[in-house]
Amino acid sequence: MFKKFLSAVKAHSFLNSEEMKAYLPKQFIAADVPLFEAEPNAGQTKLYQELEYLAVNDRFSEIATIVHESYRSGNMVGPGIYECEYLIEPLENVSGSGDGCPTIPQTERAAKRFGHWYAQEPENPYAAAFAAKSLFEHGYAHRGTDWAHNVTEEGREKLQEYTALALDVIEKSADTCSENWFWRKAYLDLVISDYRGPEDHYMRFEKAWETLPNSRDLWTSFAYQLLPRWFGSEPELRKLQNKAYEMTKDQTGDVVFLSIMNLINRFEGMDMDYLPDFKIMREVADNRATMSDDKSLTIACGLYCWLGHEEPIAELMPRIETFNECFWYYPHEPDYMTAVSVLNNRRRDKRAA
């Protein structure tokens, strides 16, 4: 215990020294920026802009045809992002969901527009999915994004009312639409207000996953639903991280795995209860350590801290120009951990000499 105390004193003393600054990144920021982004080519970007025009003019069926052709092709715009997921965004933005927290008037207009489309084409799976999705989002706009104990009785009742209407669309369209990828995703998303137990929940995810097995949007949506605040637990999230890595790494590398880890860290904070298999963490850390971008090096250092591999930390930290704290999954401060790694490395060098 006394040795640990002395080590902590030495680390803090070294932390404040001029020499220590040479081991640290030049800049520390805490901005909330995406971990990975889509990388569409010029043709995909042009097509996206054309679909935005069609969406504004309620030409939803034309968009659905193009999106479905893209789904059947299996093309991607980046690791873990299918082209069909990218191209369907103009339709999703009709409800204002792209803004994060659409208002009641926005969701009401969207529900009417998508409801009209569904009434005209009841066997179109995209029409059914968006009709259900927009009804649910309208109910959630009434509920609001506050914690459950602050939600009004009227907000709860509206969410239940519109969730029931959304489920009615799902049930009526199941016979003709349930093979479609987006219909299955919409049904999975409804779990937040229509939880029927873990067996049904996993079934919905697996059915959606079958259509787009390398979709990080699907994996992270499911991870979000498995947060302890909703319908999951720490052990389930650990299993999901392991499963995601093993099932997607050949196609997407560690992108899906890190997206889930980033989501957990953002909402719950990472601790021992959430950590995936150490073998996976070592593979991901070693992979990211070979890269040159600041995000990857930050991630590698954080994972090495969990693994107790101190040697790479002092080596990698000075290579980071801008250290973004959003990608630091280790609970102790990075500058303190760097100081500890430097001091321990020096101690080992002395013993070896």
Side-chain angles (χ1 to χ4, degrees), residues 103 147 186 192 209 280 293:
T103 64
W147 290 101
I192 290 296
W209 173 85
I280 293 174
D293 64 288

Side-chain angles (χ1 to χ4, degrees), residues 269-344:
M270 193 63 66
D271 58 37
M272 288 296 294
D273 292 333
Y274 291 106
L275 288 185
D277 186 279
F278 272 29
K279 178 178 177 293
I280 293 174
M281 291 174 63
R282 179 59 189 263
E283 285 185 23
V284 174
D286 289 347
N287 175 48
R288 290 283 154 179
T290 65
M291 301 181 185
S292 59
D293 64 288
D294 291 344
K295 289 181 186 178
S296 293
L297 296 178
T298 300
I299 290 167
C301 285
L303 295 181
Y304 283 133
C305 283
W306 280 116
L307 294 165
H309 298 319
E310 295 164 345
E311 294 85 352
I313 299 170
E315 175 191 341
L316 294 176
M317 276 290 187
R319 291 168 51 192
I320 302 172
E321 288 289 325
T322 301
F323 184 97
N324 194 308
E325 295 172 5
C326 294
F327 311 115
W328 181 251
Y329 308 130
Y330 196 68
H332 296 305
E333 295 296 328
D335 48 0
Y336 174 75
M337 294 311 302
T338 304
V340 170
S341 69
V342 171
L343 291 171
N344 285 344

Side-chain angles (χ1 to χ4, degrees), residues 192-228:
I192 290 296
S193 61
D194 176 49
Y195 185 69
R196 304 181 185 187
E199 186 175 345
D200 174 77
H201 189 191
Y202 276 84
M203 180 274 293
R204 292 194 203 187
F205 169 67
E206 288 170 358
K207 289 291 185 182
W209 173 85
E210 287 173 359
T211 62
L212 298 175
N214 296 303
S215 165
R216 65 178 167 91
D217 179 62
L218 279 179
W219 284 100
T220 53
S221 292
F222 189 52
Y224 175 73
Q225 294 161 8
L226 288 181
L227 292 175

Side-chain angles (χ1 to χ4, degrees), residues 85 124 148 168 182 216-217 249 298 315 318:
E85 295 178 298
N124 186 319
D168 187 54
F182 195 75
R216 65 178 167 91
D217 179 62
K249 64 179 179 180
T298 300
E315 175 191 341

